[in-house]
Amino acid sequence: MIVIAKAIVIFFILLGAILCLIAAIGVLRLPDVYTRMHAASKASTLGVVLILVGVFFHEWFLTGVISAKILLGIVFIFLTAPVGAHLIGRAAYNTGVKMDKRSVQDDYGGFRNFVIKRKEDSYL
Amino acid sequence: MRKIDTNDMLLQVTTKITAFIILLFSLHLFLAGHNNPGGGFIGGLMSAGAVVLLLLAYDLKTVRRILPFDFIYVAGVGLLVAILTGMGSFLFGAPFLSHTFDYFQLPFLGKTELATAVLFDIGVYLVVVGVTMTIIQTIGEKE
């Protein structure tokens, strides 16, 4: 029984660590800000969450403690990391960071200088 | 400098959810400080962090409408609470800042250890929140 528990813990933590490594390689290898943000936000979010799930199972199976702090951390990282990546990417676009030269389409280009004039145009 | 449109819907909606999680976690840190890592200082810093997140997502005027008090008075009240808990030990003939604890039967929590050090920690918490928010608001107001 304890072997199965350890195998589950090892599986989650190793998978999370490998995903974080893939995210780091993606940040090094990809050409521009937006593709790097794509690699860094998604892969490292899932990687950190999987490591936290592994630690949660470790606490639960081997010491019998159900740690609500780790569950809260999982929810928090899932909520905030993509929003942080969105804000960094949008700040990069709004300050005029160029896309890679192999990009073929920029659908947001027409809206670049869009300023909210009427109240109906705002989403808030 | 071109004017950048400020449609921060994603940030504002996420802030509405995460600010409550951060405040709850700061309360947990504050109450856990006696037996676990945590306490008044780090709890106050996390509460101030939640308000700073509100300041980032909304503007200074909105946050002032949400929390309509001057944070320098919060720091003052915290100092007063800390000094009064120190002087409260005079009533029992003990030296300044003496602390004690006892076990009580509370309605839902059962047998709970209540220490007077928590009252001092409330003072520390209020001072940290007040000073941090005063610094950030005065820097943010400078044009």
Side-chain angles (χ1 to χ4, degrees), chain B residues 76-141:
Chain B
V77 168
L79 275 178
L80 203 65
V81 167
I83 291 172
L84 284 180
T85 46
M87 286 167 62
S89 56
F90 289 157
L91 294 176
F92 305 98
F96 186 60
L97 279 175
S98 300
H99 286 296
T100 182
F101 65 95
D102 204 354
Y103 293 95
F104 294 96
Q105 288 290 338
L106 293 183
F108 291 109
L109 300 172
K111 188 181 168 194
T112 312
E113 179 190 357
L114 292 182
T116 53
V118 177
L119 298 174
F120 185 76
D121 236 17
I122 289 174
V124 175
Y125 180 92
L126 291 177
V127 168
V128 170
V129 170
V131 168
T132 314
M133 290 316 299
T134 307
I135 291 171
I136 287 168
Q137 279 188 340
T138 43
I139 291 174
E141 269 175 353

Side-chain angles (χ1 to χ4, degrees), chain B residues 11-101:
Chain B
L11 177 63
Q12 290 179 348
V13 171
T14 317
T15 299
K16 277 178 199 164
I17 302 165
T18 49
F20 285 107
I21 298 180
I22 296 172
L23 280 176
L24 207 66
F25 189 62
S26 83
L27 192 69
H28 167 260
L29 279 177
F30 171 69
L31 291 176
H34 202 55
N35 300 315
N36 285 310
F41 183 76
I42 190 71
L45 272 184
M46 284 226 48
S47 296
V51 184
V52 169
L53 185 64
L54 283 176
L55 275 173
L56 283 177
Y58 301 91
D59 52 348
L60 212 60
K61 240 194 297 185
T62 317
V63 175
R64 191 150 287 161
R65 210 168 64 231
I66 296 169
L67 300 166
F69 43 82
D70 200 350
F71 278 99
I72 196 72
Y73 291 115
V74 174
V77 168
L79 275 178
L80 203 65
V81 167
I83 291 172
L84 284 180
T85 46
M87 286 167 62
S89 56
F90 289 157
L91 294 176
F92 305 98
F96 186 60
L97 279 175
S98 300
H99 286 296
T100 182
F101 65 95

Side-chain angles (χ1 to χ4, degrees), chain A residues 31-92:
Chain A
D32 64 349
V33 169
Y34 309 104
T35 46
R36 278 177 186 162
M37 200 58 62
H38 156 80
S41 68
K42 284 199 273 260
S44 66
T45 303
L46 191 61
V48 171
V49 165
L50 283 180
I51 290 175
L52 283 179
V53 168
V55 174
F56 174 73
F57 279 148
H58 179 267
E59 296 274 304
W60 189 16
F61 292 151
L62 301 179
T63 62
V65 179
I66 292 181
S67 173
K69 259 188 271 184
I70 296 178
L71 292 179
L72 201 64
I74 290 171
V75 172
F76 195 78
I77 286 175
F78 252 129
L79 270 177
T80 52
V83 177
H86 159 79
L87 287 173
I88 294 172
R90 205 180 66 154

Side-chain angles (χ1 to χ4, degrees), chain A residues 2-3 7 13 18 23 39 46 49 53 66 68 89-90 95 98 100 116:
Chain A
I2 204 89
V3 176
I13 291 183
I18 289 169
L46 191 61
V49 165
V53 168
I66 292 181
R90 205 180 66 154
T95 48
K98 290 276 180 292
D100 187 50
I116 296 169

